[in-house]
Amino acid sequence: MLIAAVAVAVLAVLASLPFWLPRAVVALRVRIFARVNGEEGVPIPGDLVGADRFREVYAHPAADGRSAGAPLSDLFWYWLAPGPHVHQEHLEPGERYEEVARATRRILARPKGEAADLARRCASRVLDERGPGLVRLRDLMMPVWAEFSYELVFGEPCPRHARDLIVANADDVITALKCCGLRHMDRRDRLTAYLRDRLGDVRHPLPASLTKEEQAFYLQGTFFNTAVVQMSEAMAHLLMAIAQHPDVQHRLAGDPADGAYLDRVIEESMRRFPLFGIAHRITSADIAVDERTTLPAGSVLCFNYPEFHATGFEDPDRFDPGRWERIAVRDANHIPFGVTANRPCPARGVAPAAMRAVTRETLRRFALASSAAHTRSLPNRGPCLLAPRGAPAARRDGVRLVLLRLRDRWEDVWRSLVQLVCGTYMVLDARRQRLAAAYFENPRTAGEEG
């Protein structure tokens, strides 16, 4: 009897693992990160700065430091290597940043209709290779945005070997960022070498102050790391939300010409699942928040996008595109592309049009259904069932959805342990390498940032 009771207890504990172990491991990982990196940063919204002053402080001219002076930067530079010192988002304000930003704007300067058509063609080519069945939405979308970014940069269709290099690089970056695996610098270095050989084929002039190697790093970081990763994540979130809300999918598939409704779906996806968790800035001067609060120069400000996007909304955790019929986007706590006064996303003009086109192309071919967990960080990469559009069993295969949910829960147990081990190693390794700190301690390189 005792042996049977112990066996039952062990089985009960094992069966309960998916319901508590991942959360416990995530909490432990957060404590380890804080222990290694220190409790740095002023959380916004928070006790010192509320959501009502979020935009104001974010847009303040003194909230302009990006990497120098924040130990947290060592971790981001580690994840974004190679070439984080010329990554547009991590350059300090100054002439070099302005030159790099101008180059990015030139490459992205496409009419919205042209960008939408390019995105549709890229999606069509990639989706032609994909049949029905189980997919990971981030994996499905990454080749689309690899081809899209390649054609923006080089002005020609993306060859398969180049697409494979870009996808391998971007997937390695985002896998490491989510602590689901370690960095594989060989994959990243292969793309760097390819880009170095293709610098003469770029459609627009590259920043002249950068060396040839730095120009390759700039292209890799801006267009083939950040652009591919962020657009793939944005589309995975959008399609995952559509897959889990049949009423939304039915309306979109039934009237693909209803652009206003699709825009509301996209806005709600980016509100509910913002691509940034925390954006940090370092103050170059004191910022007076009010008569009682001043943020001193050198403060690390940690702008919490998910919390800001949840503040001021009724039932903020609910996915509700209809809320944007009642609320004007400009009046809401909603900044999916940042704020204009402080490095907004340079793709904010072309991204929504491109996302609309890819969504329509996907829904034209497939019905989507998913029962997997959908969180902002999306470490599961968005498991989803694809069925041919119009198939009688689309969205009705309850058994497969139950199995998908069970599989996802058990994967989360193993994944959380992997994240704990890999995340701890990478935080310690980044602290050891001190990529950002060492760069700014060198008078020559530090001077380049001015």
Side-chain angles (χ1 to χ4, degrees):
M1 289 294 293
L2 179 59
I3 294 175
V6 170
V8 170
V10 169
L11 289 174
V13 170
L14 290 175
S16 71
L17 288 179
F19 299 94
W20 62 269
L21 184 61
R23 288 195 300 272
V25 172
V26 168
L28 176 59
R29 183 157 56 94
V30 169
R31 287 198 295 272
I32 291 172
F33 277 34
R35 181 70 178 269
V36 174
N37 287 305
E39 294 283 357
E40 74 165 326
V42 177
I44 303 176
D47 294 337
L48 294 179
V49 182
D52 59 323
R53 310 300 288 271
F54 186 101
R55 289 177 186 263
E56 176 187 339
V57 174
Y58 204 162
H60 196 283
D64 61 347
R66 192 55 189 96
S67 293
L72 185 62
S73 299
D74 285 330
L75 187 56
F76 282 105
W77 280 40
Y78 179 88
W79 278 328
L80 292 172
H85 62 290
V86 292
H87 192 294
Q88 179 171 331
E89 178 59 16
H90 291 272
L91 282 168
E92 296 303 300
E95 292 182 6
R96 170 170 281 196
Y97 169 75
E98 295 299 334
E99 183 186 22
V100 166
R102 283 193 299 271
T104 301
R105 289 193 295 269
R106 284 194 296 266
I107 292 173
L108 291 173
R110 291 283 187 97
K112 293 180 181 179
E114 187 178 320
D117 185 60
L118 171 58
R120 181 196 59 76
R121 287 188 282 109
C122 292
S124 180
R125 286 195 296 266
V126 171
L127 294 175
D128 278 345
E129 304 168 7
R130 176 69 237 185
L134 177 65
V135 300
R136 306 278 177 165
L137 289 170
R138 195 185 82 202
D139 300 347
L140 179 68
M141 288 291 107
M142 197 165 277
V144 175
W145 300 110
E147 293 203 5
F148 182 83
S149 294
Y150 179 95
E151 194 155 340
L152 286 177
V153 171
F154 294 108
E156 62 185 27
C158 182
R160 182 57 182 262
H161 71 278
R163 189 179 91 180
D164 291 345
L165 287 174
I166 295 166
V167 169
N169 171 83
D171 182 68
D172 193 65
V173 170
I174 192 61
T175 298
L177 275 166
K178 295 181 187 298
C179 301
C180 292
L182 300 177
R183 301 184 311 169
H184 296 83
M185 295 306 296
D186 56 329
R187 300 177 190 174
R188 306 185 189 194
D189 292 341
R190 282 194 287 270
L191 179 59
T192 306
Y194 174 83
L195 294 173
R196 192 184 300 116
D197 290 340
R198 295 291 312 279
L199 292 176
D201 300 322
V202 177
R203 291 190 309 123
H204 295 284
L206 295 170
S209 67
L210 303 185
T211 66
K212 295 301 183 183
E213 182 177 53
E214 287 174 334
Q215 288 177 348
F217 287 154
Y218 155 69
L219 289 174
Q220 185 166 357
T222 302
F223 293 98
F224 302 120
N225 281 2
T226 298
V228 174
V229 164
Q230 297 285 34
M231 292 301 291
S232 300
E233 286 273 296
M235 282 302 307
H237 280 301
L238 175 60
L239 295 176
M240 191 76 164
I242 291 171
Q244 295 187 337
H245 294 84
D247 55 329
V248 173
Q249 183 170 181
H250 178 75
R251 180 168 173 178
L252 289 173
D255 186 7
D258 188 355
Y261 183 68
L262 178 53
D263 285 347
R264 292 194 290 272
V265 174
I266 292 174
E267 293 288 0
E268 182 66 354
S269 176
M270 300 189 84
R271 181 201 69 83
R272 182 67 181 83
F273 307 103
L275 298 180
F276 291 108
I278 301 293
H280 75 281
R281 298 289 186 268
I282 302 96
T283 58
S284 57
D286 292 354
I287 297 179
V289 179
D290 53 39
E291 61 276 6
R292 299 183 306 277
T293 306
T294 297
L295 304 173
S299 298
V300 179
L301 310 181
C302 295
F303 296 95
N304 188 321
Y305 272 68
E307 186 169 341
F308 181 64
H309 279 194
T311 303
F313 292 95
E314 181 181 350
D315 196 4
D317 292 337
R318 182 164 59 96
F319 184 83
D320 177 19
R323 73 173 78 245
W324 299 108
E325 297 174 0
R326 306 182 296 272
I327 304 172
V329 172
R330 64 179 179 276
D331 298 329
N333 292 339
H334 182 57
I335 52 168
F337 298 104
V339 297
T340 302
N342 193 340
R343 301 197 186 190
C345 174
R348 65 192 184 280
V350 301
M355 290 177 67
R356 285 193 293 271
V358 174
T359 302
R360 289 190 176 108
E361 188 67 19
T362 304
L363 293 180
R364 184 178 69 83
R365 297 163 180 262
F366 297 112
L368 287 68
S370 180
S371 54
H374 187 186
T375 63
R376 192 207 65 80
S377 61
L378 204 67
N380 60 10
R381 314 194 313 278
C384 183
L385 295 172
L386 302 184
R389 174 60 58 188
R395 300 197 307 272
R396 298 193 185 93
D397 193 343
V399 173
R400 294 184 72 190
L401 289 175
V402 169
L403 293 176
L404 176 59
R405 179 61 173 165
L406 289 173
R407 172 178 169 173
D408 183 60
R409 280 190 175 275
W410 280 103
E411 283 181 351
D412 202 30
V413 172
W414 172 248
R415 185 168 46 239
S416 65
L417 296 173
V418 170
Q419 288 178 297
L420 176 64
V421 174
C422 292
T424 301
Y425 171 82
M426 287 188 289
V427 168
L428 292 171
D429 198 29
R431 184 69 176 269
R432 177 185 63 82
Q433 293 192 30
R434 300 178 66 247
L435 294 176
Y439 180 84
F440 290 106
E441 286 169 4
N442 183 322
R444 183 186 64 82
T445 56
E448 293 174 355
E449 295 296 313

